[in-house]
Amino acid sequence: MPAWSSPPHPLRDALDREDDRPAAPWPPRRQGGVEALLSGLGARIGAVTRALALIYFCLAASTVITLAWLMPPFQNPDELAHFQRIDQLSQGGVIGHRFGRGYSGGAVDAHIEQAHAPFALLPFHPERKVSSDMLARAERLGWGGEPTLNQFPNTAIYSPFCYLPAVAVVTAGKFAGLPLVETLRLTRAVNGLLAVSIATAAIAIAGAPAPLLFAVLTLPMALGQMAAVSQDGLILALTALAVALVTRGLGLGGWSRGTLTALCLCLAVVGAARPPYAPLALIILALPGVTWRRRLAGAGAIVGIVVGWSLLAATLAQVVIDQPDVFPNPAAQLHRLLQAPGQVLPIAVNTLTRYADSYAEQFVGMLGWFDVILPRWLHGAAAVGLGLALLATLGGRLPAEATAAPAARPAAPLAAPLATARVRAAAAAGILLAAAAIFAIQYLTWTDVAGPVVLGVQGRYFLPLALMCGLVALPLAWRRPFAAAQAGARLMVAGLPFLFVPAMIGHIVERYYLQPEQIRVQVVERADGLFQPGGSLDIVSRDSAPPGTPATLVLSGWAKLSMDDPTHSLTLIAPPGTTVVSAISLRRPDVAGFFKDPALLWSGFQLTVTMLPRSGSDPALCLLSDDAQFGRFVLATPADPATGKAPCAAMTR
């Protein structure tokens, strides 16, 4: 046997066979030199890429461990609320409860909030960095604080199932006397490694959908979720396992009682964790070779668990979450939709028109509190990788029966076109209904009454649905295998994450730990000459200083400043007594992408200035940029409220 050849593997060979009889060979034809070379190369690459599961485990496990300690404490989405929910469970609190007016949560260790405090000002402020003082203040806190009533309404309603591994780690951390932040990091690592192990098993047994599972599970957002204290990592892993169990049953000629129970358990845990995913249970009703009684029992058990927990949560813990500028009212919103159901389609169209690009960007990866922005090339490469994975799945081997005794085989192959068509249809219906449920829940609970668009939907919510697409893309019976093309697609899918992970880690380091470049700024009372318009002063915020004391203003926007010119500068036209406290550059990938010029990647800025106290409103400010590559520009500024004119208008040409 050649060194590159893979040994016989009964399960894989069963998944690769079209039925219990050898497939009819294609008519023999003579191969040319190039075709013979590609065929041989395809066989060799195919042998290598069968190790997708091993590649995934090595890459994902090392990434999860790195992120568990690299990401600052509580900087994953809702990580504080998840950690408080875990502490509540470790103390025996199965579900949160309402208290006060509009609050929901429970009693948790007071030190959790204190450990979070040093990092509370980091989210949404990329100019703020983690300091050694922050870490020291948080790391000196241990467990044993007074149980304090805290609100965490978004996680108080979640089922405990996906939290159980984290609860075990927190309980062990308390028993061992670990510092609280170190327990948080250890919880991330254990939770992530468990999710990676389950996902690895799914890829190993999935057969044809393995490339798509691999591509989705190696996206930066998926890896980031696995390395966070939350239930999202296990939701992804269990969804992937559910897909793999379906294809495994198709390949082995049926589902044993244990396999069917495991499949139902995966979908039940996922649905209880996030009820909008409950429609994915439709796949149980389409399983060929399973009696209707067993199918109905399995689907009914899933729905019963999800509905039962949802009713318990709604009765005891669910509240409308307070937001600063949005005032949801689920009852009024539902009443309005029932009165005017024709509004559903325009709302859906408006939402997708406005937010589709944002969903796609978040789906691939916007880490932290959406302030770790990954480069545009990575998003493009991820789209290519997902497309190749989908093609590899569509053109893969059709799942079929295993070689079993004739008496044990079903009367018709489970992988017959009609059977797989039912599986595809059920999976597609479940995906569409789950997506609709995501938008419906967010419109009822997170959007103003009669709002024109749905608010609060995040791209990461669609990752489990992307995994289920592996069942929609089951191989087509009429496809003709192209070994070289299939192997090449698998090789590219396997290789792309090795580009994603270094970029992801580098941007996390840059976001949280590297101090930004300082920009030279001079303050003048006036400047003569005409300038081209370019750049924008987007935000001017002022602190609430008492009357008669210096005011602090924060100016942010973008200017035509090249990252290749270290001599570029800004000029601020302001009244006497204005002092620049700090001037830092910020990443603006949106500006670089719009102008298709990577030199503008660091064209953003944030200036903090103090101004002497004066009567009346703040004076209008004008900002100029000077760069050797781009030239001199005057930035667009908001109009002066007193005159209604832009303060720099007279200086443009």
Side-chain angles (χ1 to χ4, degrees), residues 156-184:
I157 60 174
Y158 288 157
S159 69
F161 307 123
C162 284
Y163 288 124
L164 294 180
V167 170
V169 177
V170 167
T171 303
K174 292 179 179 180
F175 181 78
L178 292 179
L180 192 146
V181 168
E182 197 62 26
T183 307
L184 173 77

PDB file of all heavy atoms in Angstrom, residues 156-184:
ATOM      1  N   ALA A 156     -30.805  34.993  32.495  1.00  0.00           N
ATOM      2  CA  ALA A 156     -31.561  34.379  33.592  1.00  0.00           C
ATOM      3  C   ALA A 156     -32.598  33.390  33.083  1.00  0.00           C
ATOM      4  O   ALA A 156     -33.004  32.474  33.804  1.00  0.00           O
ATOM      5  CB  ALA A 156     -32.246  35.464  34.425  1.00  0.00           C
ATOM      6  N   ILE A 157     -33.025  33.553  31.827  1.00  0.00           N
ATOM      7  CA  ILE A 157     -34.077  32.697  31.270  1.00  0.00           C
ATOM      8  C   ILE A 157     -33.512  31.475  30.562  1.00  0.00           C
ATOM      9  O   ILE A 157     -34.270  30.599  30.137  1.00  0.00           O
ATOM     10  CB  ILE A 157     -34.952  33.490  30.281  1.00  0.00           C
ATOM     11  CG1 ILE A 157     -34.093  34.034  29.129  1.00  0.00           C
ATOM     12  CG2 ILE A 157     -35.683  34.614  30.990  1.00  0.00           C
ATOM     13  CD1 ILE A 157     -34.892  34.708  28.035  1.00  0.00           C
ATOM     14  N   TYR A 158     -32.182  31.372  30.417  1.00  0.00           N
ATOM     15  CA  TYR A 158     -31.597  30.277  29.638  1.00  0.00           C
ATOM     16  C   TYR A 158     -31.621  28.972  30.431  1.00  0.00           C
ATOM     17  O   TYR A 158     -31.418  28.952  31.638  1.00  0.00           O
ATOM     18  CB  TYR A 158     -30.169  30.603  29.231  1.00  0.00           C
ATOM     19  CG  TYR A 158     -30.055  31.664  28.155  1.00  0.00           C
ATOM     20  CD1 TYR A 158     -28.892  32.406  27.993  1.00  0.00           C
ATOM     21  CD2 TYR A 158     -31.114  31.913  27.275  1.00  0.00           C
ATOM     22  CE1 TYR A 158     -28.781  33.374  27.005  1.00  0.00           C
ATOM     23  CE2 TYR A 158     -31.015  32.877  26.297  1.00  0.00           C
ATOM     24  CZ  TYR A 158     -29.850  33.606  26.159  1.00  0.00           C
ATOM     25  OH  TYR A 158     -29.744  34.561  25.179  1.00  0.00           O
ATOM     26  N   SER A 159     -31.822  27.861  29.718  1.00  0.00           N
ATOM     27  CA  SER A 159     -31.833  26.551  30.355  1.00  0.00           C
ATOM     28  C   SER A 159     -30.436  26.217  30.868  1.00  0.00           C
ATOM     29  O   SER A 159     -29.426  26.704  30.346  1.00  0.00           O
ATOM     30  CB  SER A 159     -32.294  25.492  29.351  1.00  0.00           C
ATOM     31  OG  SER A 159     -31.316  25.323  28.346  1.00  0.00           O
ATOM     32  N   PRO A 160     -30.334  25.353  31.855  1.00  0.00           N
ATOM     33  CA  PRO A 160     -29.025  25.066  32.454  1.00  0.00           C
ATOM     34  C   PRO A 160     -28.174  24.064  31.678  1.00  0.00           C
ATOM     35  O   PRO A 160     -26.993  23.901  31.984  1.00  0.00           O
ATOM     36  CB  PRO A 160     -29.392  24.500  33.829  1.00  0.00           C
ATOM     37  CG  PRO A 160     -30.733  23.895  33.636  1.00  0.00           C
ATOM     38  CD  PRO A 160     -31.434  24.742  32.612  1.00  0.00           C
ATOM     39  N   PHE A 161     -28.729  23.395  30.673  1.00  0.00           N
ATOM     40  CA  PHE A 161     -28.045  22.244  30.078  1.00  0.00           C
ATOM     41  C   PHE A 161     -26.678  22.604  29.504  1.00  0.00           C
ATOM     42  O   PHE A 161     -25.686  21.925  29.764  1.00  0.00           O
ATOM     43  CB  PHE A 161     -28.931  21.606  29.007  1.00  0.00           C
ATOM     44  CG  PHE A 161     -30.307  21.261  29.488  1.00  0.00           C
ATOM     45  CD1 PHE A 161     -31.442  21.778  28.866  1.00  0.00           C
ATOM     46  CD2 PHE A 161     -30.483  20.428  30.582  1.00  0.00           C
ATOM     47  CE1 PHE A 161     -32.706  21.473  29.321  1.00  0.00           C
ATOM     48  CE2 PHE A 161     -31.741  20.106  31.046  1.00  0.00           C
ATOM     49  CZ  PHE A 161     -32.863  20.638  30.417  1.00  0.00           C
ATOM     50  N   CYS A 162     -26.597  23.652  28.696  1.00  0.00           N
ATOM     51  CA  CYS A 162     -25.322  24.018  28.069  1.00  0.00           C
ATOM     52  C   CYS A 162     -24.353  24.660  29.055  1.00  0.00           C
ATOM     53  O   CYS A 162     -23.181  24.864  28.720  1.00  0.00           O
ATOM     54  CB  CYS A 162     -25.565  24.970  26.897  1.00  0.00           C
ATOM     55  SG  CYS A 162     -26.202  24.155  25.417  1.00  0.00           S
ATOM     56  N   TYR A 163     -24.835  24.998  30.234  1.00  0.00           N
ATOM     57  CA  TYR A 163     -23.970  25.600  31.247  1.00  0.00           C
ATOM     58  C   TYR A 163     -23.331  24.567  32.181  1.00  0.00           C
ATOM     59  O   TYR A 163     -22.466  24.917  32.986  1.00  0.00           O
ATOM     60  CB  TYR A 163     -24.766  26.584  32.105  1.00  0.00           C
ATOM     61  CG  TYR A 163     -25.141  27.870  31.418  1.00  0.00           C
ATOM     62  CD1 TYR A 163     -26.472  28.268  31.332  1.00  0.00           C
ATOM     63  CD2 TYR A 163     -24.178  28.718  30.885  1.00  0.00           C
ATOM     64  CE1 TYR A 163     -26.827  29.465  30.727  1.00  0.00           C
ATOM     65  CE2 TYR A 163     -24.521  29.908  30.278  1.00  0.00           C
ATOM     66  CZ  TYR A 163     -25.853  30.278  30.197  1.00  0.00           C
ATOM     67  OH  TYR A 163     -26.189  31.461  29.601  1.00  0.00           O
ATOM     68  N   LEU A 164     -23.769  23.311  32.113  1.00  0.00           N
ATOM     69  CA  LEU A 164     -23.324  22.327  33.103  1.00  0.00           C
ATOM     70  C   LEU A 164     -21.806  22.148  33.146  1.00  0.00           C
ATOM     71  O   LEU A 164     -21.230  22.084  34.248  1.00  0.00           O
ATOM     72  CB  LEU A 164     -24.025  20.994  32.850  1.00  0.00           C
ATOM     73  CG  LEU A 164     -25.550  21.003  33.090  1.00  0.00           C
ATOM     74  CD1 LEU A 164     -26.150  19.630  32.804  1.00  0.00           C
ATOM     75  CD2 LEU A 164     -25.874  21.449  34.512  1.00  0.00           C
ATOM     76  N   PRO A 165     -21.089  22.063  32.011  1.00  0.00           N
ATOM     77  CA  PRO A 165     -19.621  21.961  32.116  1.00  0.00           C
ATOM     78  C   PRO A 165     -19.005  23.180  32.805  1.00  0.00           C
ATOM     79  O   PRO A 165     -18.078  23.028  33.620  1.00  0.00           O
ATOM     80  CB  PRO A 165     -19.169  21.857  30.652  1.00  0.00           C
ATOM     81  CG  PRO A 165     -20.361  21.340  29.925  1.00  0.00           C
ATOM     82  CD  PRO A 165     -21.537  21.940  30.617  1.00  0.00           C
ATOM     83  N   ALA A 166     -19.502  24.366  32.481  1.00  0.00           N
ATOM     84  CA  ALA A 166     -18.975  25.576  33.120  1.00  0.00           C
ATOM     85  C   ALA A 166     -19.288  25.596  34.613  1.00  0.00           C
ATOM     86  O   ALA A 166     -18.467  26.050  35.421  1.00  0.00           O
ATOM     87  CB  ALA A 166     -19.554  26.818  32.447  1.00  0.00           C
ATOM     88  N   VAL A 167     -20.470  25.099  34.994  1.00  0.00           N
ATOM     89  CA  VAL A 167     -20.823  25.037  36.416  1.00  0.00           C
ATOM     90  C   VAL A 167     -19.842  24.130  37.153  1.00  0.00           C
ATOM     91  O   VAL A 167     -19.396  24.450  38.275  1.00  0.00           O
ATOM     92  CB  VAL A 167     -22.270  24.527  36.580  1.00  0.00           C
ATOM     93  CG1 VAL A 167     -22.574  24.229  38.046  1.00  0.00           C
ATOM     94  CG2 VAL A 167     -23.250  25.559  36.045  1.00  0.00           C
ATOM     95  N   ALA A 168     -19.466  23.021  36.528  1.00  0.00           N
ATOM     96  CA  ALA A 168     -18.504  22.110  37.164  1.00  0.00           C
ATOM     97  C   ALA A 168     -17.150  22.793  37.359  1.00  0.00           C
ATOM     98  O   ALA A 168     -16.509  22.640  38.409  1.00  0.00           O
ATOM     99  CB  ALA A 168     -18.346  20.851  36.313  1.00  0.00           C
ATOM    100  N   VAL A 169     -16.705  23.577  36.373  1.00  0.00           N
ATOM    101  CA  VAL A 169     -15.418  24.262  36.489  1.00  0.00           C
ATOM    102  C   VAL A 169     -15.477  25.327  37.582  1.00  0.00           C
ATOM    103  O   VAL A 169     -14.549  25.458  38.397  1.00  0.00           O
ATOM    104  CB  VAL A 169     -15.016  24.892  35.142  1.00  0.00           C
ATOM    105  CG1 VAL A 169     -13.712  25.674  35.288  1.00  0.00           C
ATOM    106  CG2 VAL A 169     -14.848  23.815  34.082  1.00  0.00           C
ATOM    107  N   VAL A 170     -16.558  26.107  37.612  1.00  0.00           N
ATOM    108  CA  VAL A 170     -16.687  27.153  38.635  1.00  0.00           C
ATOM    109  C   VAL A 170     -16.743  26.537  40.030  1.00  0.00           C
ATOM    110  O   VAL A 170     -16.108  27.038  40.975  1.00  0.00           O
ATOM    111  CB  VAL A 170     -17.934  28.015  38.357  1.00  0.00           C
ATOM    112  CG1 VAL A 170     -18.273  28.893  39.554  1.00  0.00           C
ATOM    113  CG2 VAL A 170     -17.707  28.884  37.117  1.00  0.00           C
ATOM    114  N   THR A 171     -17.476  25.444  40.167  1.00  0.00           N
ATOM    115  CA  THR A 171     -17.543  24.776  41.473  1.00  0.00           C
ATOM    116  C   THR A 171     -16.159  24.285  41.899  1.00  0.00           C
ATOM    117  O   THR A 171     -15.753  24.444  43.063  1.00  0.00           O
ATOM    118  CB  THR A 171     -18.528  23.597  41.406  1.00  0.00           C
ATOM    119  OG1 THR A 171     -19.814  24.077  40.991  1.00  0.00           O
ATOM    120  CG2 THR A 171     -18.657  22.926  42.751  1.00  0.00           C
ATOM    121  N   ALA A 172     -15.408  23.708  40.955  1.00  0.00           N
ATOM    122  CA  ALA A 172     -14.049  23.254  41.269  1.00  0.00           C
ATOM    123  C   ALA A 172     -13.138  24.435  41.583  1.00  0.00           C
ATOM    124  O   ALA A 172     -12.279  24.347  42.478  1.00  0.00           O
ATOM    125  CB  ALA A 172     -13.492  22.452  40.093  1.00  0.00           C
ATOM    126  N   GLY A 173     -13.316  25.547  40.867  1.00  0.00           N
ATOM    127  CA  GLY A 173     -12.511  26.734  41.133  1.00  0.00           C
ATOM    128  C   GLY A 173     -12.748  27.292  42.519  1.00  0.00           C
ATOM    129  O   GLY A 173     -11.800  27.709  43.206  1.00  0.00           O
ATOM    130  N   LYS A 174     -13.989  27.292  42.939  1.00  0.00           N
ATOM    131  CA  LYS A 174     -14.293  27.753  44.301  1.00  0.00           C
ATOM    132  C   LYS A 174     -13.665  26.815  45.334  1.00  0.00           C
ATOM    133  O   LYS A 174     -13.090  27.278  46.331  1.00  0.00           O
ATOM    134  CB  LYS A 174     -15.814  27.799  44.502  1.00  0.00           C
ATOM    135  CG  LYS A 174     -16.526  28.871  43.692  1.00  0.00           C
ATOM    136  CD  LYS A 174     -18.030  28.819  43.939  1.00  0.00           C
ATOM    137  CE  LYS A 174     -18.765  29.895  43.172  1.00  0.00           C
ATOM    138  NZ  LYS A 174     -20.227  29.855  43.398  1.00  0.00           N
ATOM    139  N   PHE A 175     -13.791  25.521  45.092  1.00  0.00           N
ATOM    140  CA  PHE A 175     -13.254  24.552  46.042  1.00  0.00           C
ATOM    141  C   PHE A 175     -11.731  24.661  46.137  1.00  0.00           C
ATOM    142  O   PHE A 175     -11.150  24.531  47.218  1.00  0.00           O
ATOM    143  CB  PHE A 175     -13.658  23.140  45.614  1.00  0.00           C
ATOM    144  CG  PHE A 175     -13.180  22.057  46.539  1.00  0.00           C
ATOM    145  CD1 PHE A 175     -13.830  21.801  47.747  1.00  0.00           C
ATOM    146  CD2 PHE A 175     -12.064  21.291  46.212  1.00  0.00           C
ATOM    147  CE1 PHE A 175     -13.385  20.807  48.600  1.00  0.00           C
ATOM    148  CE2 PHE A 175     -11.610  20.301  47.059  1.00  0.00           C
ATOM    149  CZ  PHE A 175     -12.273  20.048  48.258  1.00  0.00           C
ATOM    150  N   ALA A 176     -11.063  24.923  44.990  1.00  0.00           N
ATOM    151  CA  ALA A 176      -9.600  25.006  44.970  1.00  0.00           C
ATOM    152  C   ALA A 176      -9.077  26.376  45.379  1.00  0.00           C
ATOM    153  O   ALA A 176      -7.868  26.560  45.492  1.00  0.00           O
ATOM    154  CB  ALA A 176      -9.089  24.657  43.576  1.00  0.00           C
ATOM    155  N   GLY A 177      -9.968  27.337  45.569  1.00  0.00           N
ATOM    156  CA  GLY A 177      -9.544  28.670  45.962  1.00  0.00           C
ATOM    157  C   GLY A 177      -8.884  29.462  44.846  1.00  0.00           C
ATOM    158  O   GLY A 177      -8.036  30.333  45.106  1.00  0.00           O
ATOM    159  N   LEU A 178      -9.269  29.192  43.595  1.00  0.00           N
ATOM    160  CA  LEU A 178      -8.683  29.922  42.474  1.00  0.00           C
ATOM    161  C   LEU A 178      -9.180  31.366  42.458  1.00  0.00           C
ATOM    162  O   LEU A 178     -10.317  31.640  42.863  1.00  0.00           O
ATOM    163  CB  LEU A 178      -9.058  29.251  41.151  1.00  0.00           C
ATOM    164  CG  LEU A 178      -8.465  27.875  40.863  1.00  0.00           C
ATOM    165  CD1 LEU A 178      -8.982  27.360  39.523  1.00  0.00           C
ATOM    166  CD2 LEU A 178      -6.950  27.936  40.857  1.00  0.00           C
ATOM    167  N   PRO A 179      -8.368  32.300  41.953  1.00  0.00           N
ATOM    168  CA  PRO A 179      -8.866  33.667  41.741  1.00  0.00           C
ATOM    169  C   PRO A 179     -10.035  33.645  40.768  1.00  0.00           C
ATOM    170  O   PRO A 179     -10.122  32.786  39.883  1.00  0.00           O
ATOM    171  CB  PRO A 179      -7.657  34.405  41.157  1.00  0.00           C
ATOM    172  CG  PRO A 179      -6.483  33.613  41.593  1.00  0.00           C
ATOM    173  CD  PRO A 179      -6.938  32.180  41.644  1.00  0.00           C
ATOM    174  N   LEU A 180     -10.915  34.604  40.905  1.00  0.00           N
ATOM    175  CA  LEU A 180     -12.133  34.616  40.117  1.00  0.00           C
ATOM    176  C   LEU A 180     -11.827  34.722  38.622  1.00  0.00           C
ATOM    177  O   LEU A 180     -12.405  34.000  37.805  1.00  0.00           O
ATOM    178  CB  LEU A 180     -13.016  35.773  40.581  1.00  0.00           C
ATOM    179  CG  LEU A 180     -14.452  35.804  40.082  1.00  0.00           C
ATOM    180  CD1 LEU A 180     -15.367  36.378  41.150  1.00  0.00           C
ATOM    181  CD2 LEU A 180     -14.564  36.641  38.818  1.00  0.00           C
ATOM    182  N   VAL A 181     -10.927  35.630  38.244  1.00  0.00           N
ATOM    183  CA  VAL A 181     -10.601  35.811  36.830  1.00  0.00           C
ATOM    184  C   VAL A 181      -9.929  34.568  36.266  1.00  0.00           C
ATOM    185  O   VAL A 181     -10.161  34.185  35.113  1.00  0.00           O
ATOM    186  CB  VAL A 181      -9.722  37.062  36.640  1.00  0.00           C
ATOM    187  CG1 VAL A 181      -9.126  37.106  35.245  1.00  0.00           C
ATOM    188  CG2 VAL A 181     -10.533  38.325  36.906  1.00  0.00           C
ATOM    189  N   GLU A 182      -9.093  33.901  37.066  1.00  0.00           N
ATOM    190  CA  GLU A 182      -8.464  32.673  36.592  1.00  0.00           C
ATOM    191  C   GLU A 182      -9.516  31.583  36.391  1.00  0.00           C
ATOM    192  O   GLU A 182      -9.416  30.773  35.459  1.00  0.00           O
ATOM    193  CB  GLU A 182      -7.401  32.211  37.592  1.00  0.00           C
ATOM    194  CG  GLU A 182      -6.415  31.205  37.035  1.00  0.00           C
ATOM    195  CD  GLU A 182      -5.602  31.761  35.887  1.00  0.00           C
ATOM    196  OE1 GLU A 182      -5.411  32.998  35.803  1.00  0.00           O
ATOM    197  OE2 GLU A 182      -5.162  30.957  35.045  1.00  0.00           O
ATOM    198  N   THR A 183     -10.534  31.554  37.231  1.00  0.00           N
ATOM    199  CA  THR A 183     -11.634  30.611  37.032  1.00  0.00           C
ATOM    200  C   THR A 183     -12.371  30.912  35.740  1.00  0.00           C
ATOM    201  O   THR A 183     -12.767  29.995  35.003  1.00  0.00           O
ATOM    202  CB  THR A 183     -12.612  30.671  38.217  1.00  0.00           C
ATOM    203  OG1 THR A 183     -11.903  30.500  39.440  1.00  0.00           O
ATOM    204  CG2 THR A 183     -13.671  29.592  38.100  1.00  0.00           C
ATOM    205  N   LEU A 184     -12.565  32.196  35.448  1.00  0.00           N
ATOM    206  CA  LEU A 184     -13.206  32.599  34.197  1.00  0.00           C
ATOM    207  C   LEU A 184     -12.419  32.069  32.998  1.00  0.00           C
ATOM    208  O   LEU A 184     -12.987  31.483  32.061  1.00  0.00           O
ATOM    209  CB  LEU A 184     -13.302  34.122  34.129  1.00  0.00           C
ATOM    210  CG  LEU A 184     -13.800  34.720  32.817  1.00  0.00           C
ATOM    211  CD1 LEU A 184     -15.303  34.579  32.708  1.00  0.00           C
ATOM    212  CD2 LEU A 184     -13.410  36.185  32.688  1.00  0.00           C
TER     213      LEU A 184
END
